[in-house]
Amino acid sequence: MTNYDYIVVGGCAVGLSTAYNLGKACEKGEKVLVLEKFMYFNQAGSSGDFVRMFRTMYSDIELCKLALKARDLWIELEKEANVELIKMMDYQDGPEGNLTKPIEIMKQLNMEYQQLSSAEIMERYPFRNLPSNFIGVFAKDNGIINVFLTLRILYKLAQENNVELRENEEVTKLELNTGNHSEDRNVIVTTIRKNVNGTQDTMTYSAKKVIITAGAYVNNVIKTLNFQIQLCIWEMVSMYFTLDAVSNPPIQVPSMWFQFQDETPDSKSNLFYGFPEVSWGPENQTRIAVDYSSRMIYDPDERHTGVSEYELQITSKWVEKHCIGVQKYPVFQGTCLMPNVRDNNFVLDFAPEKVLGPAHKNIIIFTAGWAFKFVPLLGKCLSQLAINGCTEYDISNYNIDREGVLKDDKDTPPKHPVYKPQPC
Ligand SMILES: Cc1cc2nc3c(=O)[nH]c(=O)nc-3n(C[C@H](O)[C@H](O)[C@H](O)COP(=O)(O)OP(=O)(O)OC[C@H]3O[C@@H](n4cnc5c(N)ncnc54)[C@H](O)[C@@H]3O)c2cc1C
């Protein structure tokens, strides 16, 4: 058995950020290991695709404050790596009532924004047929995250900070060492390592702290610890549509946009969003999608191949009605897993004390929520929880003991399977 100080389970966005922060902050001689079930930069979880939205405009003031702090950490990360990871810009629209809360919060926090009428939105953006009761909010400090580059930069920085990164190695079992009964009980981690020649080995490690960032797969990782999280996993569809390349003047999508509109009789969700063409994505394509999933599963192994017709149809219909210079049908589409708990927020906490007793702080868990925009902050926060047992960030809203997070035996299948569509 090899001993480590810190083991991170799951080597994607949040896991790599945690590993990098641990590598940077832990003491000389301490060892950090990341175990990734698949290859690095895989599309098996939630961090697939080319782009993610960064925004500070929220209807939840705590998330808004956290996003403002995350923005500073993105800037630090960009400076450290000497690259641009977020292309800043943003815009949101929807019926007036839907934007009241975020506007109120922006006012309260003195954040800059610009309000547009429905006609002004259509003047600036290639949209048509927007209802006259729509307003637009152009908010600062929002932008498009370069997912590909972010993951690769975090991997490189983790490596440079002496983190050991293993791939094709699945954590299959976690146990608390029964050798002693104090808070310091180590965590024993068992894995199956797949070798390139097709053979596999069972490996065992010991760590002072284990940080689980396995996203939608979290319940598979914690299954031997006698608790489970009540997750509803959305198979979200993303689609790329061709933009008219020859029109004069050229079609300009000046920024990322998001439409907030309540559901209507013909659609279970009207939370459509889109990105302009980006230099690191497919040429002459715009990503437009609906923030909803008609396929909800409870275990990543239940994932379908292919995408759901429903999302394809409502998005194509919306594109045809409202988008100028965009081909009605997508050129390609894919799915990505989005784990949700009942309140759509993060789970960011130690393992539950009521299940694991005094050693519960040796296991730290992150899953659920729209997390990409918080990646540098979550990495820092999780590494602080591992090293110091506490963090400078207020994470009290994301505790594992809040209602609806832990699954009790009666909840199979979950009592409240659907969690309302929320903007990402
Ligand atoms: C379609 C879509 C759009 C989104 N848009 C936005 C957005 O615009 N803005 C935003 O902020 N957020 C957005 N999100 C959410 C965001 O992408 C996720 O919150 C974020 O990617 C989560 O990263 P992660 O590292 O926690 O999880 P993941 O990326 O899922 O990584 C988990 C990793 O754990 C590994 N793993 C699993 N089981 C094991 C095991 N047993 N042993 C070892 N490794 C294991 C997996 O292979 C995977 O690599 C979106 C999500 C989706 C699906």
Side-chain angles (χ1 to χ4, degrees):
M1 176 155 53
T2 321
N3 296 329
Y4 286 86
D5 294 281
Y6 305 100
I7 291 182
V8 180
V9 181
C12 216
V14 178
L16 289 172
S17 177
T18 306
Y20 155 56
N21 277 281
L22 280 170
K24 217 166 52 162
C26 69
E27 283 177 23
K28 200 160 180 266
E30 285 190 314
K31 285 163 65 186
V32 183
L33 171 68
V34 181
L35 294 165
E36 168 51 50
K37 174 176 175 165
F38 301 110
M39 287 181 283
Y40 281 100
F41 320 127
N42 64 67
Q43 305 275 325
S46 305
S47 307
D49 207 336
F50 300 95
V51 287
R52 286 289 183 269
M53 178 200 319
F54 180 85
R55 69 189 165 104
T56 51
M57 183 178 165
Y58 266 104
S59 36
D60 171 334
I61 192 160
E62 293 311 321
L63 284 174
C64 177
K65 287 183 191 164
L66 217 54
L68 288 166
K69 290 186 177 149
R71 179 199 57 186
D72 295 342
L73 293 176
W74 277 106
I75 294 170
E76 264 180 39
L77 185 62
E78 288 182 323
K79 277 200 189 125
E80 169 139 20
N82 198 20
V83 289
E84 183 184 64
L85 297 173
I86 307 188
K87 202 168 168 49
M88 294 308 284
M89 49 170 82
D90 200 59
Y91 157 79
Q92 328 269 333
D93 82 22
E96 205 162 346
N98 297 49
L99 294 173
T100 314
K101 188 75 188 166
I103 290 176
E104 215 177 275
I105 290 175
M106 287 193 293
K107 275 189 190 149
Q108 205 177 323
L109 299 179
N110 280 328
M111 290 160 65
E112 270 182 51
Y113 71 92
Q114 214 185 341
Q115 198 164 315
L116 310 174
S117 67
S118 177
E120 283 168 333
I121 300 171
M122 289 186 280
E123 227 169 79
R124 283 200 198 178
Y125 286 78
F127 290 144
R128 62 187 164 213
N129 302 324
L130 292 184
S132 59
N133 70 337
F134 266 39
I135 59 164
V137 176
F138 194 92
K140 237 183 124 219
D141 287 337
N142 297 268
I144 307 172
I145 305 170
N146 184 334
V147 171
F148 270 38
L149 191 57
T150 300
L151 297 180
R152 282 151 182 82
I153 288 293
L154 289 171
Y155 182 93
K156 179 171 159 273
L157 290 174
Q159 236 177 5
E160 285 171 6
N161 283 279
N162 302 316
V163 172
E164 202 178 320
L165 295 133
R166 302 242 171 104
E167 62 181 354
N168 296 314
E169 187 160 347
E170 177 183 1
V171 171
T172 52
K173 194 167 168 192
L174 295 179
E175 296 163 282
L176 285 169
N177 184 0
T178 48
N180 62 54
H181 298 281
S182 72
E183 290 174 8
D184 301 326
R185 286 165 64 182
N186 278 4
V187 187
I188 310 298
V189 180
T190 307
T191 69
I192 292 181
R193 181 193 288 176
K194 290 194 175 129
N195 304 312
V196 277
N197 62 6
T199 60
Q200 51 186 47
D201 299 312
T202 300
M203 310 293 294
T204 316
Y205 308 96
S206 152
K208 284 197 295 198
K209 306 277 168 144
V210 167
I211 304 99
I212 303 170
T213 61
Y217 298 78
V218 62
N219 283 331
N220 294 338
V221 178
I222 58 176
K223 63 180 185 279
T224 51
L225 294 174
N226 295 327
F227 68 96
Q228 291 278 278
I229 293 174
Q230 197 167 292
L231 278 190
C232 173
I233 305 165
W234 288 18
E235 286 185 55
M236 290 195 67
V237 181
S238 37
M239 294 164 237
Y240 282 81
F241 294 82
T242 301
L243 276 168
D244 186 339
V246 295
S247 74
N248 192 7
I251 299 294
Q252 296 281 353
V253 184
S255 70
M256 205 247 113
W257 54 268
F258 204 108
Q259 176 188 278
F260 292 82
Q261 190 188 4
D262 295 331
E263 55 191 80
T264 45
D266 62 331
S267 175
K268 291 180 195 142
S269 170
N270 285 313
L271 295 173
F272 290 101
Y273 62 98
F275 294 85
E277 177 185 352
V278 289
S279 57
W280 63 90
E283 209 162 311
N284 201 217
Q285 304 285 318
T286 174
R287 164 145 146 51
I288 299 179
V290 61
D291 209 343
Y292 173 75
S293 172
S294 56
R295 285 184 181 160
M296 294 172 192
I297 56 175
Y298 301 99
D299 182 326
D301 289 343
E302 296 165 9
R303 186 176 190 168
H304 300 77
T305 49
V307 306
S308 138
E309 266 299 304
Y310 180 75
E311 282 87 311
L312 280 185
Q313 273 176 18
I314 56 170
T315 312
S316 293
K317 218 165 111 187
W318 193 88
V319 164
E320 185 179 32
K321 184 165 177 196
H322 294 296
C323 297
I324 298 169
V326 181
Q327 186 76 47
K328 178 181 173 188
Y329 295 109
V331 186
F332 62 91
Q333 59 273 327
T335 60
C336 208
L337 297 181
M338 179 63 207
N340 295 293
V341 288
R342 204 187 301 171
D343 60 13
N344 288 105
N345 234 321
F346 309 130
V347 176
L348 171 52
D349 201 352
F350 301 108
E353 188 172 8
K354 64 182 178 198
V355 184
L356 295 189
H360 75 116
K361 287 195 171 181
N362 294 350
I363 294 178
I364 301 152
I365 298 175
F366 173 79
T367 186
W370 302 97
F372 214 102
K373 64 184 79 58
F374 298 103
V375 160
L377 183 141
L378 291 169
K380 191 168 175 193
C381 173
L382 287 161
S383 77
Q384 288 175 341
L385 290 173
I387 295 173
N388 311 322
C390 59
T391 171
E392 71 189 83
Y393 302 105
D394 179 3
I395 55 167
S396 51
N397 284 347
Y398 317 125
N399 70 78
I400 201 162
D401 292 318
R402 71 186 193 271
E403 212 202 326
V405 173
L406 286 177
K407 193 166 162 185
D408 63 57
D409 291 342
K410 296 185 278 330
D411 285 332
T412 331
K415 264 188 301 201
H416 304 281
V418 177
Y419 313 118
K420 205 174 154 32
Q422 294 276 326
C424 27

